[in-house]
Amino acid sequence: MRVTTAYSYAASLANLQKRQTELNEANGRLTSGKRVEKASDDPTSAARAERALAVVSRSDANQRALQASRNSMTLTESALGDATELLQQAREGIVASGNGSYSDAERSALAEKLKEIRTQLFSVANRSDGAGSYLFAGQGASQPPFLDTAAGVQFRGASGQINVGSDEALPLTINGADAWLSAPSGNGVFETRATSTTTAWIDAGQVTDPSQLTGGSYDVQFSVAGGTTTYEVRDAGGTLVASGPYAQGKAIEVDGISFTVGGSPAAGDRFDIVPSTRSLSVFGVLDRTIAELTTPHRTGAQVTQSAQTALRDIDAVAGSLQALRASAGESLNRADAVEGRVSALKLYGETERSNAEDLDLVQAISDFQNQQTGYSASLQTYSSVQRLSLFQYIT
């Protein structure tokens, strides 16, 4: 086979250009730190890197949503804590109002204290999150969600709850209507009411045997004959379910519940027992208590009944807010756990992406040095081929 000078020259030049291209590529990889700079470098690794990048991007979005939920729940938990403290102050005032030695003027002064507490609670219920929204607006409201009307405080937000848009269902808001206007009435199972009496009162009652509960309503009436006071308990259909002589401080039991009537019931005095409903409003409790404290010339029994009912209801609404506060705290705890999972997933994505496209510097430096050596050899070869000329021999 005959190798011409022109062929040797072309082959050396092509090899030199190839070596120079490879050297430039190696230098580019060292500069960027990437083994795969474009999909054509390694299609399989490029696809792995894209999938890993999607994992990292989704993790970043989840972290932003997580932070939004954490900020909102932190503010909500703080607001509910403030409300609980205010209700505790209200409770102390209600306990003091039951003091039989207090005058109407002193009870009116306590009513003024409760009015101030109510104003502060209303401000807490309409507290903003600092970003144009409201903590208790439910699914959103452009204005404060609670409106104080002549008929009482009304919820004007959108009932419900908003969760962040992430892989984890974390709350962003709390349903304000449930938080402030929907505590269970009575003791949570049934509610006792003093319907018509000025000389006796009834306590909140309790459940003695859950298996006997009927969930019905009862009517308790008293009668006096021959100096003896008796009671009759009838159900909603008028059927007599319990009766007997009245003894102050002795519990009356019927269908798995018991309650105690105090004072001196008069003939015709009546008490009602109705099923509990989630209709107790924080503001309604305070409004009713304030109205009763500012009513003059009440009897001792009426004062006692007012204090007992107010204490029962204030404890119910406080318990409801405390339960929501615990829920907000649990959401914060869950956010901490979710953050760990999201961070681990993001780290996995970043590691996978690095494995797919990042450069092994030790290997890359070795390859670069080899390319330099090869390029130098190609230069020498090309230089030698250039000297293969007849004129060089002639001269």
Side-chain angles (χ1 to χ4, degrees):
M1 174 179 169
R2 187 169 64 88
V3 179
T4 65
T5 302
Y7 174 79
S8 297
Y9 179 82
S12 297
L13 182 60
N15 186 52
L16 179 63
Q17 290 174 337
K18 178 183 177 183
R19 291 289 186 176
Q20 187 177 23
T21 299
E22 291 175 347
L23 182 62
N24 288 336
E25 290 175 351
N27 182 57
R29 286 193 292 270
L30 277 175
T31 303
S32 66
K34 297 293 183 181
R35 181 177 62 86
V36 180
E37 294 181 313
K38 54 184 182 294
S40 60
D41 292 340
D42 187 341
T44 302
S45 295
R48 284 178 56 200
E50 283 299 319
R51 289 194 296 269
L53 180 60
V55 172
V56 173
S57 298
R58 187 166 63 249
S59 298
D60 287 338
N62 287 338
Q63 283 183 329
R64 289 191 294 270
L66 172 66
Q67 190 58 42
S69 175
R70 176 181 283 134
N71 291 341
S72 178
M73 288 300 101
T74 298
L75 292 173
T76 300
E77 192 275 337
S78 176
L80 291 171
D82 293 342
T84 300
E85 292 181 5
L86 289 169
L87 287 175
Q88 180 58 36
Q89 296 176 24
R91 192 181 194 283
E92 293 171 359
I94 292 171
V95 170
S97 71
N99 190 329
S101 64
Y102 272 29
S103 64
D104 288 341
E106 289 171 313
R107 291 192 178 90
S108 293
L110 290 174
E112 292 301 320
K113 176 182 177 180
L114 293 184
K115 287 180 181 178
E116 178 59 29
I117 291 174
R118 182 191 185 280
T119 299
Q120 294 181 59
L121 282 169
F122 187 75
S123 177
V124 172
N126 279 328
R127 184 172 293 180
S128 170
D129 63 358
S133 298
Y134 298 90
L135 297 177
F136 302 101
Q139 296 189 34
S142 58
Q143 297 179 345
F146 291 94
L147 184 63
D148 202 355
T149 69
V153 173
Q154 305 292 325
F155 181 69
R156 298 299 173 87
S159 295
Q161 175 178 298
I162 297 177
N163 292 332
V164 296
S166 68
D167 295 342
E168 301 280 351
L170 293 171
L172 193 60
T173 62
I174 282 183
N175 190 341
D178 285 346
W180 297 89
L181 308 179
S182 302
S185 61
N187 56 23
V189 178
F190 61 91
E191 177 186 358
T192 57
R193 298 174 178 174
T195 306
S196 60
T197 181
T198 59
T199 59
W201 61 88
I202 189 172
D203 68 359
Q206 60 183 343
V207 176
T208 57
D209 187 352
S211 64
Q212 295 184 20
L213 294 176
T214 65
S217 300
Y218 300 93
D219 175 51
V220 185
Q221 291 190 1
F222 287 84
S223 59
V224 180
T228 301
T229 304
T230 58
Y231 67 86
E232 290 183 346
V233 182
R234 298 180 181 274
D235 62 18
T239 303
L240 182 66
V241 293
S243 63
Y246 166 72
Q248 182 171 341
K250 184 178 179 180
I252 299 174
E253 297 187 5
V254 56
D255 292 341
I257 65 174
S258 70
F259 51 89
T260 302
V261 176
S264 302
D269 280 357
R270 176 184 168 188
F271 299 90
D272 288 335
I273 300 173
V274 298
S276 176
T277 60
R278 298 194 66 86
S279 58
L280 202 60
S281 162
V282 173
F283 307 103
V285 171
L286 291 175
D287 288 341
R288 184 177 63 249
T289 304
I290 291 170
E292 291 173 350
L293 289 177
T294 53
T295 301
H297 311 305
R298 292 186 300 159
T299 65
Q302 289 175 315
V303 169
T304 301
Q305 182 67 75
S306 175
Q308 287 195 2
T309 300
L311 284 175
R312 177 197 68 190
D313 292 346
I314 209 75
D315 288 343
V317 295
S320 181
L321 291 180
Q322 287 171 349
L324 284 172
R325 186 184 184 188
S327 178
E330 182 57 35
S331 294
L332 291 172
N333 291 336
R334 188 154 56 91
D336 292 339
V338 170
E339 183 177 30
R341 293 196 293 272
V342 171
S343 297
L345 183 61
K346 181 178 180 180
L347 178 61
Y348 163 78
E350 291 173 340
T351 302
E352 184 69 10
R353 184 185 181 188
S354 176
N355 292 338
E357 68 178 14
D358 283 356
L359 192 66
D360 183 343
L361 288 178
V362 175
Q363 182 64 41
I365 292 172
S366 176
D367 291 343
F368 182 73
Q369 291 173 344
N370 290 336
Q371 296 293 345
Q372 281 183 318
T373 301
Y375 181 65
S376 297
S378 295
L379 281 174
Q380 292 175 0
T381 301
Y382 178 68
S383 176
S384 299
V385 170
Q386 276 189 324
R387 289 195 295 269
L388 293 177
S389 168
L390 179 60
F391 294 104
Q392 288 180 328
Y393 287 103
I394 294 174
T395 57

